Amino acid sequence: IRNAKVVTTISKFSQSEIKKLGNYSTPIEVIYNPLSLSLTYSRREFNAEKPAILHIGNKQNKNLERLIEALKGLSCKLIILGKVSSTVRHKIDELGIECAITSRLSEQEMLSLYEKIDLLAFVSTYEGFGLPILEAQAIGRVILTSNIASMPEVAGKGAYFVDPFSVEAIRNGIVELIKNHDLREDLIEKGRENV
């Protein structure tokens, strides 16, 4: 950083994280990530009886285990993009959650996946940006995401925010989005404006 003329990063949150590394005079400019998938708005009737909930990623910060706990007893289908450990798979089975696990999707398969979901659950405990938020907003899906790190910055007003460290908060957010049609429509519209 000290030897660079300028540093670029993907969010104001990441900019603040870089500044914590040291007292540098190097300018740090924010250039947001663009959408890389050719997603266009695709209206979908929300399945309030059994919504398809997408979770992307399997690293610790993606918070999959808390999401799984939050879904216990809810009528839904969890779709996980990314490989999961046998421990996580066992937990899904133990809690009786209907689940599909997939990975290594082509661009066309990703587009198709976004079209089939009702809700994106992106409750990470840490993200430098969070591109799936923009992707789900672009196609017109409602989003549950974290109220920390870069997620509020990226999502704008187009998502429902929860404490990602609270299973109860995640569960309550999902239940609210399932039950509240007007809230979903409002967040989807604000998400489209955000993109």
Side-chain angles (χ1 to χ4, degrees), residues 13 54-56 60-64 66-67 119-130 132-133 137 142-167 169-171 173-174 177:
F13 171 74
L54 176 62
H55 172 88
I56 297 177
Q60 195 66 33
N61 68 300
K62 300 298 183 180
N63 209 18
L64 177 57
R66 283 191 188 95
L67 175 63
L119 185 151
L120 172 70
F122 196 76
V123 290
S124 299
T125 56
Y126 187 94
E127 291 287 340
F129 190 78
I133 293 170
Q137 286 178 335
V142 71
I143 299 156
L144 178 85
T145 194
S146 304
N147 62 3
I148 59 168
S150 64
M151 279 72 80
E153 178 185 355
V154 173
K157 295 179 181 176
Y160 192 94
F161 297 100
V162 296
D163 174 359
F165 296 101
S166 167
V167 170
I170 295 168
R171 181 184 182 83
I174 290 169
L177 289 174

Side-chain angles (χ1 to χ4, degrees), residues 5 11 83 109 150 154 183:
K5 290 188 178 179
S11 65
K83 295 181 179 178
E109 289 168 328
S150 64
V154 173
L183 175 61

Side-chain angles (χ1 to χ4, degrees), residues 22-182:
N23 187 16
Y24 301 109
S25 59
T26 308
I28 303 170
E29 301 294 328
V30 174
I31 301 173
Y32 290 115
N33 281 335
L35 280 173
S36 55
L37 294 174
S38 355
L39 293 158
T40 54
Y41 179 74
S42 171
R43 178 103 178 127
R44 175 181 168 86
E45 192 63 38
F46 189 89
N47 183 351
E49 296 300 313
K50 191 176 194 177
I53 300 173
L54 176 62
H55 172 88
I56 297 177
N58 56 9
K59 293 183 181 170
Q60 195 66 33
N61 68 300
K62 300 298 183 180
N63 209 18
L64 177 57
E65 292 191 32
R66 283 191 188 95
L67 175 63
I68 291 167
E69 287 285 340
L71 295 177
K72 179 181 178 183
L74 294 181
S75 175
C76 67
K77 179 177 183 179
L78 176 62
I79 302 167
I80 301 171
L81 180 57
K83 295 181 179 178
V84 299
S85 68
S86 57
T87 306
V88 169
R89 183 71 230 198
H90 176 73
K91 189 72 169 174
I92 292 166
D93 294 340
E94 180 186 356
L95 296 177
I97 298 168
E98 184 179 336
C99 183
I101 301 169
T102 188
S103 62
R104 299 180 187 244
L105 300 184
S106 68
E107 183 173 323
Q108 190 54 49
E109 289 168 328
M110 275 301 298
L111 295 172
S112 177
L113 179 60
Y114 272 117
E115 287 176 350
K116 292 175 184 171
I117 66 162
D118 296 293
L119 185 151
L120 172 70
F122 196 76
V123 290
S124 299
T125 56
Y126 187 94
E127 291 287 340
F129 190 78
L131 195 54
I133 293 170
L134 291 184
E135 293 171 344
Q137 286 178 335
I139 202 159
R141 299 302 177 264
V142 71
I143 299 156
L144 178 85
T145 194
S146 304
N147 62 3
I148 59 168
S150 64
M151 279 72 80
E153 178 185 355
V154 173
K157 295 179 181 176
Y160 192 94
F161 297 100
V162 296
D163 174 359
F165 296 101
S166 167
V167 170
E168 182 181 4
I170 295 168
R171 181 184 182 83
N172 291 344
I174 290 169
V175 169
E176 181 65 21
L177 289 174
I178 290 171
K179 289 181 175 180
N180 194 329
H181 172 270
D182 292 342

